[in-house]
Protein backbone atom coordinates (compact mmCIF):
# COMPACT_ATOMS: atom_id res chain seq x y z
CA UNK A 1 0.00 0.00 0.00
CA UNK A 2 2.81 2.37 1.00
CA UNK A 3 4.61 1.54 -2.22
CA UNK A 4 1.50 2.40 -4.30
CA UNK A 5 1.12 5.74 -2.48
CA UNK A 6 4.79 6.52 -3.05
CA UNK A 7 4.53 5.69 -6.72
CA UNK A 8 1.38 7.78 -6.97
CA UNK A 9 3.11 10.75 -5.35
CA UNK A 10 6.05 10.41 -7.74
CA UNK A 11 3.71 10.33 -10.71
CA UNK A 12 1.91 13.42 -9.42
CA UNK A 13 5.20 15.23 -8.87
CA UNK A 14 6.33 14.34 -12.39
CA UNK A 15 3.04 15.54 -13.85
CA UNK A 16 3.32 18.84 -11.96
CA UNK A 17 6.91 19.28 -13.14
CA UNK A 18 5.96 18.69 -16.75
CA UNK A 19 3.05 21.09 -16.41
CA UNK A 20 5.31 23.77 -14.96
CA UNK A 21 7.81 23.25 -17.76
CA UNK A 22 5.09 23.54 -20.39
CA UNK A 23 3.65 26.65 -18.73
CA UNK A 24 7.08 28.25 -18.59
CA UNK A 25 7.73 27.64 -22.29
CA UNK A 26 4.43 29.31 -23.15
CA UNK A 27 5.36 32.34 -21.10
CA UNK A 28 8.97 32.66 -22.33
CA UNK A 29 8.34 34.33 -25.67
CA UNK A 30 11.47 35.12 -27.68
CA UNK A 31 11.33 37.18 -30.89
CA UNK A 32 14.06 37.97 -33.39
CA UNK A 33 14.28 41.36 -35.11
CA UNK A 34 16.62 41.11 -38.11
CA UNK A 35 17.69 44.17 -40.12
CA UNK A 36 19.88 44.56 -43.18
CA UNK A 37 21.90 47.60 -42.09
CA UNK A 38 22.06 47.83 -38.29
CA UNK A 39 24.28 50.92 -38.42
CA UNK A 40 21.58 53.03 -40.11
CA UNK A 41 19.62 55.36 -37.77
CA UNK A 42 16.26 54.12 -39.09
CA UNK A 43 16.98 50.55 -38.03
CA UNK A 44 18.43 51.71 -34.73
CA UNK A 45 15.12 53.48 -34.09
CA UNK A 46 13.12 50.39 -35.05
CA UNK A 47 15.13 48.34 -32.58
CA UNK A 48 14.62 50.98 -29.87
CA UNK A 49 10.85 50.79 -30.19
CA UNK A 50 10.93 47.00 -30.48
CA UNK A 51 12.78 46.99 -27.14
CA UNK A 52 10.02 49.17 -25.71
CA UNK A 53 7.46 46.56 -26.79
CA UNK A 54 9.58 43.77 -25.28
CA UNK A 55 9.77 45.60 -21.96
CA UNK A 56 6.03 46.28 -21.87
CA UNK A 57 4.95 42.78 -22.91
CA UNK A 58 7.69 40.87 -21.10
CA UNK A 59 9.23 38.99 -24.00
CA UNK A 60 12.88 38.59 -25.00
CA UNK A 61 14.02 40.51 -28.08
CA UNK A 62 16.97 39.24 -30.12
CA UNK A 63 18.44 42.00 -32.33
CA UNK A 64 20.50 40.76 -35.28
CA UNK A 65 22.12 42.51 -38.22
CA UNK A 66 22.26 40.49 -41.45
CA UNK A 67 23.72 42.59 -44.28
CA UNK A 68 23.97 39.77 -46.83
CA UNK A 69 21.92 36.82 -47.97
CA UNK A 70 24.14 34.12 -46.52
CA UNK A 71 23.89 35.66 -43.08
CA UNK A 72 20.10 35.80 -43.31
CA UNK A 73 19.68 32.03 -43.57
CA UNK A 74 22.30 31.41 -40.87
CA UNK A 75 20.49 33.93 -38.66
CA UNK A 76 17.22 32.02 -38.93
CA UNK A 77 18.91 28.82 -37.77
CA UNK A 78 20.54 30.81 -34.97
CA UNK A 79 17.15 32.01 -33.79
CA UNK A 80 15.87 28.44 -33.78
CA UNK A 81 18.88 27.41 -31.67
CA UNK A 82 18.03 30.19 -29.22
CA UNK A 83 14.46 28.80 -28.95
CA UNK A 84 12.81 31.83 -30.54
CA UNK A 85 9.25 31.31 -31.76
CA UNK A 86 9.20 33.95 -34.49
CA UNK A 87 11.05 36.80 -36.13
CA UNK A 88 10.58 40.07 -37.99
CA UNK A 89 12.95 40.81 -40.85
CA UNK A 90 14.04 43.52 -43.27
CA UNK A 91 16.17 41.47 -45.63
CA UNK A 92 19.09 42.79 -47.70
CA UNK A 93 17.65 41.07 -50.75
CA UNK A 94 13.88 40.69 -51.21
CA UNK A 95 14.48 38.00 -53.87
CA UNK A 96 15.52 35.70 -51.02
CA UNK A 97 11.80 35.50 -50.23
CA UNK A 98 11.19 31.82 -51.11
CA UNK A 99 14.34 30.74 -49.23
CA UNK A 100 13.43 32.77 -46.13
CA UNK A 101 9.87 31.43 -46.10
CA UNK A 102 11.10 27.83 -46.51
CA UNK A 103 13.76 28.20 -43.81
CA UNK A 104 11.32 29.76 -41.35
CA UNK A 105 8.84 26.95 -41.98
CA UNK A 106 11.50 24.26 -41.59
CA UNK A 107 12.65 25.80 -38.30
CA UNK A 108 9.08 26.22 -37.00
CA UNK A 109 9.34 30.02 -36.73
CA UNK A 110 6.58 32.53 -37.40
CA UNK A 111 7.62 35.14 -39.96
CA UNK A 112 6.78 38.80 -40.52
CA UNK A 113 8.50 41.35 -42.75
CA UNK A 114 9.01 45.07 -42.18
CA UNK A 115 9.97 47.90 -44.57
CA UNK A 116 10.92 45.71 -47.57
CA UNK A 117 8.46 43.05 -48.76
CA UNK A 118 9.62 39.61 -49.87
CA UNK A 119 9.04 38.64 -53.50
CA UNK A 120 8.77 35.26 -55.20
CA UNK A 121 10.69 33.95 -58.20
CA UNK A 122 8.53 36.04 -60.55
CA UNK A 123 9.09 39.23 -58.58
CA UNK A 124 5.59 39.27 -57.10
CA UNK A 125 4.99 40.03 -53.39
CA UNK A 126 4.70 36.95 -51.18
CA UNK A 127 1.29 37.83 -49.79
CA UNK A 128 1.17 34.95 -47.32
CA UNK A 129 3.79 36.66 -45.13
CA UNK A 130 2.38 39.48 -42.93
CA UNK A 131 4.08 42.75 -43.84
CA UNK A 132 4.32 46.32 -42.57
CA UNK A 133 5.75 48.83 -45.00
CA UNK A 134 5.17 52.30 -46.27
CA UNK A 135 2.98 53.37 -49.15
CA UNK A 136 6.12 53.95 -51.18
CA UNK A 137 4.65 55.66 -54.24
CA UNK A 138 2.53 58.06 -52.18
CA UNK A 139 5.45 59.00 -49.96
CA UNK A 140 7.57 59.55 -53.05
CA UNK A 141 4.85 61.83 -54.38
CA UNK A 142 4.98 63.78 -51.11
CA UNK A 143 8.72 64.25 -51.64
CA UNK A 144 8.26 65.46 -55.22
CA UNK A 145 5.46 67.84 -54.25
CA UNK A 146 7.51 69.30 -51.39
CA UNK A 147 10.39 69.96 -53.81
CA UNK A 148 8.06 71.51 -56.41
CA UNK A 149 6.46 73.78 -53.81
CA UNK A 150 9.83 74.98 -52.52
CA UNK A 151 11.13 75.57 -56.04
CA UNK A 152 8.09 77.74 -56.75
CA UNK A 153 8.57 79.61 -53.48
CA UNK A 154 12.18 80.38 -54.44
CA UNK A 155 11.25 81.38 -57.96
CA UNK A 156 13.54 78.86 -59.64
CA UNK A 157 13.22 78.26 -63.37
CA UNK A 158 12.73 74.53 -63.99
CA UNK A 159 14.90 74.60 -67.12
CA UNK A 160 17.85 75.81 -65.01
CA UNK A 161 17.42 73.06 -62.43
CA UNK A 162 18.71 69.49 -62.35
CA UNK A 163 17.07 66.73 -60.30
CA UNK A 164 19.30 64.11 -58.72
CA UNK A 165 17.53 60.77 -58.53
CA UNK A 166 19.66 58.75 -56.13
CA UNK A 167 18.49 55.32 -57.24
CA UNK A 168 18.61 51.77 -55.94
CA UNK A 169 16.25 50.11 -58.40
CA UNK A 170 16.96 46.54 -57.35
CA UNK A 171 14.83 47.27 -54.28
CA UNK A 172 11.17 47.67 -55.36
CA UNK A 173 10.23 50.12 -52.61
CA UNK A 174 13.19 52.34 -53.53
CA UNK A 175 12.11 52.53 -57.17
CA UNK A 176 8.51 53.19 -56.15
CA UNK A 177 9.61 56.11 -53.98
CA UNK A 178 11.75 57.77 -56.63
CA UNK A 179 9.16 57.09 -59.37
CA UNK A 180 6.56 58.78 -57.16
CA UNK A 181 8.81 61.80 -56.66
CA UNK A 182 9.39 62.12 -60.42
CA UNK A 183 5.65 61.83 -61.11
CA UNK A 184 4.85 64.68 -58.72
CA UNK A 185 7.70 66.84 -60.03
CA UNK A 186 6.77 66.42 -63.69
CA UNK A 187 3.10 67.01 -62.90
CA UNK A 188 4.14 70.41 -61.54
CA UNK A 189 5.86 71.28 -64.83
CA UNK A 190 9.39 70.08 -64.16
CA UNK A 191 11.08 68.82 -67.37
CA UNK A 192 11.61 65.07 -67.21
CA UNK A 193 14.80 65.38 -69.26
CA UNK A 194 16.36 67.27 -66.33
CA UNK A 195 16.10 64.22 -64.05
CA UNK A 196 19.59 62.76 -63.70
CA UNK A 197 19.82 59.15 -62.57
CA UNK A 198 22.57 58.50 -60.01
CA UNK A 199 22.62 54.79 -59.05
CA UNK A 200 24.13 53.96 -55.67
CA UNK A 201 25.83 50.65 -54.88
CA UNK A 202 24.46 50.51 -51.32
CA UNK A 203 21.77 52.45 -49.50
CA UNK A 204 24.03 54.58 -47.33
CA UNK A 205 25.37 58.14 -47.35
CA UNK A 206 28.82 57.29 -48.68
CA UNK A 207 27.52 55.47 -51.75
CA UNK A 208 24.94 58.20 -52.37
CA UNK A 209 27.72 60.78 -52.19
CA UNK A 210 29.76 58.91 -54.79
CA UNK A 211 26.78 58.53 -57.13
CA UNK A 212 25.75 62.18 -56.82
CA UNK A 213 29.30 63.46 -57.25
CA UNK A 214 29.60 61.70 -60.61
CA UNK A 215 26.18 62.94 -61.76
CA UNK A 216 26.86 66.58 -60.83
CA UNK A 217 30.29 66.49 -62.50
CA UNK A 218 28.75 65.18 -65.71
CA UNK A 219 26.02 67.86 -65.75
CA UNK A 220 27.65 71.26 -65.19
CA UNK A 221 24.92 73.22 -66.99
CA UNK A 222 22.47 73.40 -64.08
CA UNK A 223 22.26 76.49 -61.88
CA UNK A 224 20.28 74.71 -59.13
CA UNK A 225 19.85 71.11 -57.97
CA UNK A 226 17.12 69.17 -56.21
CA UNK A 227 17.68 65.71 -54.77
CA UNK A 228 15.59 62.72 -53.69
CA UNK A 229 16.11 59.02 -53.05
CA UNK A 230 15.21 56.00 -50.96
CA UNK A 231 15.92 57.54 -47.55
CA UNK A 232 17.48 60.44 -45.66
CA UNK A 233 20.95 58.96 -46.05
CA UNK A 234 20.68 58.98 -49.85
CA UNK A 235 19.70 62.64 -49.90
CA UNK A 236 22.35 63.61 -47.34
CA UNK A 237 24.98 62.03 -49.58
CA UNK A 238 23.68 64.07 -52.52
CA UNK A 239 23.69 67.26 -50.43
CA UNK A 240 27.29 66.71 -49.33
CA UNK A 241 28.35 66.05 -52.92
CA UNK A 242 26.60 69.22 -54.15
CA UNK A 243 28.22 71.24 -51.37
CA UNK A 244 31.57 69.97 -52.57
CA UNK A 245 30.71 71.53 -55.93
CA UNK A 246 29.83 74.85 -54.25
CA UNK A 247 26.04 74.44 -54.33
CA UNK A 248 24.86 75.93 -51.04
CA UNK A 249 21.47 75.98 -49.32
CA UNK A 250 20.12 78.71 -51.63
CA UNK A 251 20.74 76.59 -54.73
CA UNK A 252 19.92 73.15 -53.41
CA UNK A 253 16.71 71.42 -52.25
CA UNK A 254 17.05 67.91 -50.86
CA UNK A 255 14.05 66.08 -49.40
CA UNK A 256 14.63 62.71 -47.76
CA UNK A 257 12.40 59.98 -46.42
CA UNK A 258 12.40 58.68 -42.87
CA UNK A 259 12.78 61.66 -40.56
CA UNK A 260 15.75 59.86 -39.01
CA UNK A 261 18.21 61.20 -36.46
CA UNK A 262 20.47 62.04 -39.39
CA UNK A 263 17.80 64.41 -40.69
CA UNK A 264 17.22 65.93 -37.25
CA UNK A 265 20.95 66.52 -36.84
CA UNK A 266 20.94 68.40 -40.13
CA UNK A 267 18.06 70.62 -39.00
CA UNK A 268 19.88 71.43 -35.78
CA UNK A 269 22.93 72.89 -37.52
CA UNK A 270 23.48 76.59 -36.91
CA UNK A 271 22.99 77.43 -40.58
CA UNK A 272 20.49 75.82 -42.98
CA UNK A 273 21.91 73.34 -45.49
CA UNK A 274 20.59 72.01 -48.77
CA UNK A 275 18.82 69.25 -46.83
CA UNK A 276 15.48 71.07 -46.85
CA UNK A 277 13.17 68.42 -45.42
CA UNK A 278 12.23 64.80 -44.89
CA UNK A 279 8.97 62.90 -45.08
CA UNK A 280 8.74 61.49 -41.57
CA UNK A 281 7.65 57.88 -41.39
CA UNK A 282 7.20 56.29 -38.03
CA UNK A 283 9.94 53.92 -36.87
CA UNK A 284 7.81 53.51 -33.76
CA UNK A 285 5.04 51.77 -35.68
CA UNK A 286 7.52 49.70 -37.68
CA UNK A 287 9.46 48.62 -34.58
CA UNK A 288 6.91 48.64 -31.77
CA UNK A 289 3.75 47.60 -33.60
CA UNK A 290 5.32 44.73 -35.56
CA UNK A 291 6.87 43.39 -32.34
CA UNK A 292 3.57 43.54 -30.47
CA UNK A 293 1.83 41.86 -33.41
CA UNK A 294 4.39 39.05 -33.41
CA UNK A 295 4.05 38.64 -29.63
CA UNK A 296 0.24 38.38 -29.88
CA UNK A 297 0.60 35.85 -32.69
CA UNK A 298 2.94 33.67 -30.65
CA UNK A 299 1.28 34.09 -27.26
CA UNK A 300 -2.41 34.23 -28.14
CA UNK A 301 -2.64 32.86 -31.68
CA UNK A 302 -3.84 36.22 -33.02
CA UNK A 303 -2.43 36.55 -36.54
CA UNK A 304 -1.32 40.04 -37.61
CA UNK A 305 -2.86 41.88 -40.60
CA UNK A 306 -1.49 40.58 -43.87
CA UNK A 307 -0.60 44.07 -45.10
CA UNK A 308 -0.19 47.36 -43.25
CA UNK A 309 1.00 50.45 -45.14
CA UNK A 310 2.02 53.57 -43.25
CA UNK A 311 2.20 57.14 -44.52
CA UNK A 312 4.32 60.15 -43.66
CA UNK A 313 4.41 63.90 -43.09
CA UNK A 314 6.89 66.52 -44.26
CA UNK A 315 9.22 67.89 -41.60
CA UNK A 316 11.63 70.83 -41.98
CA UNK A 317 13.82 72.88 -39.66
CA UNK A 318 10.74 74.90 -38.77
CA UNK A 319 8.28 72.17 -37.78
CA UNK A 320 10.24 69.00 -36.97
CA UNK A 321 9.70 69.10 -33.20
CA UNK A 322 5.99 69.82 -33.56
CA UNK A 323 5.32 67.08 -36.11
CA UNK A 324 7.32 64.50 -34.18
CA UNK A 325 5.24 65.28 -31.11
CA UNK A 326 2.03 64.85 -33.12
CA UNK A 327 3.23 61.40 -34.23
CA UNK A 328 4.11 60.33 -30.69
CA UNK A 329 7.88 60.43 -31.19
Amino acid sequence: MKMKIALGLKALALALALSACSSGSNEDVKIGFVVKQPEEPWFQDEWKYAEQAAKEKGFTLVKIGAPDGGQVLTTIDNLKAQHAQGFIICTPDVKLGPSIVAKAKADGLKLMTVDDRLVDGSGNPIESVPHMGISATKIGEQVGQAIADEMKKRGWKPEETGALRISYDQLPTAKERTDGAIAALTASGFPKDNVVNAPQAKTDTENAFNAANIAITQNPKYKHWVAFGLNDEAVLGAVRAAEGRNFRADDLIGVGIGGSQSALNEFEKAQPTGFFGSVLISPKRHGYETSVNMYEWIKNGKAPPQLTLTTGKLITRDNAAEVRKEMGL
Side-chain angles (χ1 to χ4, degrees):
M1 182 68 177
K2 288 181 179 180
M3 185 176 290
K4 288 183 178 180
I5 293 173
L7 288 172
L9 289 172
K10 284 183 179 180
L12 179 60
L14 178 60
L16 289 171
L18 290 172
S19 175
C21 181
S22 174
S23 175
S25 65
N26 284 335
E27 291 173 5
D28 297 338
V29 173
K30 183 176 287 187
I31 296 170
F33 203 117
V34 184
V35 301
K36 61 183 179 181
Q37 286 182 288
E39 71 281 2
E40 281 198 6
W42 169 260
F43 295 117
Q44 291 287 328
D45 285 342
E46 282 188 335
W47 274 350
K48 178 177 73 175
Y49 291 113
E51 286 175 331
Q52 181 182 329
K55 185 176 180 180
E56 290 180 10
K57 296 295 184 180
F59 64 85
T60 300
L61 182 74
V62 182
K63 301 183 297 181
I64 303 177
D68 65 62
Q71 286 177 289
V72 168
L73 301 181
T74 302
T75 290
I76 299 171
D77 283 337
N78 183 19
L79 287 168
K80 178 189 177 183
Q82 294 188 56
H83 305 292
Q85 297 97 336
F87 66 100
I88 301 149
I89 186 169
C90 179
T91 177
D93 184 356
V94 294
K95 296 189 290 295
L96 287 170
S99 298
I100 293 171
V101 171
K103 176 65 75 173
K105 184 177 181 180
D107 287 351
L109 297 169
K110 296 185 184 300
L111 167 64
M112 290 177 60
T113 54
V114 67
D115 303 331
D116 301 337
R117 198 174 190 187
L118 302 179
V119 298
D120 60 22
S122 301
N124 298 313
I126 299 179
E127 297 180 355
S128 61
V129 177
H131 175 71
M132 177 179 283
I134 69 167
S135 181
T137 301
K138 289 187 179 299
I139 285 180
E141 290 170 354
Q142 287 180 270
V143 169
Q145 190 60 54
I147 291 172
D149 291 345
E150 185 62 17
M151 281 182 59
K152 184 177 180 180
K153 184 179 177 181
R154 297 186 187 189
W156 288 6
K157 294 180 180 179
E159 62 270 20
E160 297 178 345
T161 305
L164 283 170
R165 174 185 182 254
I166 309 300
S167 62
Y168 192 73
D169 288 351
Q170 56 267 54
L171 184 63
T173 186
K175 187 175 188 305
E176 289 168 10
R177 294 179 200 189
T178 54
D179 284 353
I182 292 170
L185 270 174
T186 54
S188 75
F190 190 88
K192 194 167 185 178
D193 288 345
N194 288 20
V195 177
V196 180
N197 189 45
Q200 57 183 151
K202 289 178 63 178
T203 60
D204 58 17
T205 300
E206 179 182 356
N207 281 275
F209 174 92
N210 294 336
N213 199 37
I214 293 169
I216 294 170
T217 302
Q218 293 176 342
N219 294 274
K221 63 182 178 179
Y222 295 118
K223 185 178 179 180
H224 316 287
W225 282 100
V226 302
F228 52 91
L230 165 66
N231 51 21
D232 291 330
E233 288 68 32
V235 175
L236 282 167
V239 168
R240 297 288 93 88
E243 288 172 346
R245 299 289 177 174
N246 296 316
F247 288 91
R248 302 303 175 190
D250 290 345
D251 291 311
L252 182 60
I253 302 169
V255 177
I257 293 175
S260 66
Q261 188 59 50
S262 300
L264 300 180
N265 291 344
E266 199 74 3
F267 296 150
E268 290 170 2
K269 290 184 175 180
Q271 297 298 322
T273 73
F275 190 87
F276 172 75
S278 176
V279 175
L280 174 64
I281 51 182
S282 176
K284 183 173 184 179
R285 287 199 69 187
H286 288 230
Y288 178 89
E289 193 171 315
T290 54
S291 298
V292 170
N293 285 347
M294 178 59 78
Y295 172 80
E296 291 292 337
W297 195 9
I298 294 167
K299 183 71 174 177
N300 300 315
K302 181 182 177 183
Q306 288 303 113
L307 180 61
T308 304
L309 296 177
T310 62
T311 55
K313 191 168 183 178
L314 180 69
I315 59 172
T316 64
R317 286 173 66 95
D318 297 330
N319 72 353
E322 179 184 347
V323 174
R324 282 176 57 82
K325 186 176 180 181
E326 288 175 8
M327 294 182 73
L329 299 173

